[in-house]
Amino acid sequence: MQKREQAITLAFTGASGAPYGLRLLSCLLESGRTVHLMISSAARVVLAEEEGMKLPGSPEACERLLSERMQAKPGQLRVYGKEQWFSPVASGSGAPRQMVICPCSTGTLAAVATGMSNTLIERAADVVLKERGQLLLVPRETPFNSIHLEHMLKLSNLGAVIMPAAPGFYHQPQSIADLVDFMVARILDHLQIEHHLSARWGYGNQTEPKNAEG
């Protein structure tokens, strides 16, 4: 098991965007990080719908399945149920300093913004905020209503980073995987994890734009 400083908490919730979460999980494991993973009940439905992935009910069985699929090292991936209150992520004395909720449903967004801790995901996010750690939320919803925006502003003022799943196109994506990688690359940038997923602005296509008379 790696040191706490080399670990990260990751949560999948019930918004559309399962490919983002799975790709991020894969990249975090490839980078050598230990990942503490939580998957909400709604996220399980989304994973089955969008990825055809039916996860087993128990955290232990889910951990074995994902570890094998992602080729994780022994002990590198830990999966917790929604009420495993004795897991490291539930306490400031044991939780990693970084957490990503990807995708982040608007329900989870609201719960975190209002300090709810009814599930382990909500508690883990609350811990990161109170310990002044790094919390990234990747909502996938459109359009946003005023309630969503108020919650985002509140969390941003508390130090969280709001990163809506809004991939760019300046890297000239050729596939859905390219769009997914764009978002995952931005998340990894904020986590200060090296990657080669997507060309950076100014370093990829060096073609100069034509002027109005060109």
Side-chain angles (χ1 to χ4, degrees):
M1 182 67 65
Q2 288 187 326
K3 295 180 180 180
R4 178 185 176 197
E5 292 77 13
Q6 295 174 298
I8 188 167
T9 304
L10 176 62
F12 301 162
T13 62
S16 177
Y20 293 119
L22 289 176
R23 181 60 166 150
L24 177 58
L25 173 60
S26 176
C27 290
L28 291 173
L29 293 171
E30 288 176 5
S31 75
R33 294 292 189 98
T34 296
V35 180
H36 298 267
L37 177 65
M38 294 160 288
I39 306 171
S40 72
S41 298
R44 289 172 174 270
V45 175
V46 174
L47 282 164
E49 181 69 22
E50 297 184 350
E51 290 288 317
M53 180 183 291
K54 295 184 178 180
L55 297 176
S58 75
E60 296 80 10
C62 186
E63 183 178 300
R64 288 193 296 270
L65 185 150
L66 289 173
S67 293
E68 182 177 350
R69 171 170 175 156
M70 301 288 179
Q71 299 182 328
K73 298 176 182 177
Q76 189 183 10
L77 176 62
R78 302 290 304 277
V79 178
Y80 305 110
K82 65 179 181 180
E83 293 184 341
Q84 285 188 249
W85 304 115
F86 287 99
S87 60
V89 300
S91 172
S93 66
R97 300 287 296 175
Q98 295 176 306
M99 178 177 181
V100 184
I101 305 179
C102 176
C104 180
S105 67
T106 54
T108 300
L109 183 78
V112 176
T114 54
M116 302 295 287
S117 292
N118 292 326
T119 68
L120 187 59
I121 292 174
E122 296 165 10
R123 171 58 183 169
D126 188 61
V127 167
V128 173
L129 285 174
K130 79 182 184 69
E131 297 295 325
R132 300 297 191 267
Q134 184 181 21
L135 177 63
L136 279 66
L137 299 99
V138 185
R140 213 305 309 163
E141 184 63 87
T142 189
F144 293 123
N145 65 33
S146 295
I147 296 173
H148 305 149
L149 295 171
E150 287 173 359
H151 288 152
M152 291 182 200
L153 178 59
K154 184 176 183 179
L155 286 167
S156 180
N157 287 336
L158 289 171
V161 176
I162 309 298
M163 299 184 67
F169 292 86
Y170 58 77
H171 62 306
Q172 299 179 344
Q174 301 299 306
S175 66
I176 292 176
D178 290 341
L179 296 174
V180 171
D181 278 357
F182 179 94
M183 276 307 307
V184 173
R186 297 296 293 122
I187 296 169
L188 294 174
D189 284 344
H190 278 263
L191 298 173
Q192 297 186 336
I193 295 176
E194 289 294 328
H195 65 85
H196 302 283
L197 295 182
S198 180
R200 298 182 184 280
W201 178 260
Y203 294 90
N205 186 348
Q206 298 295 325
T207 303
E208 293 292 335
K210 295 181 180 180
N211 59 37
E213 299 178 352

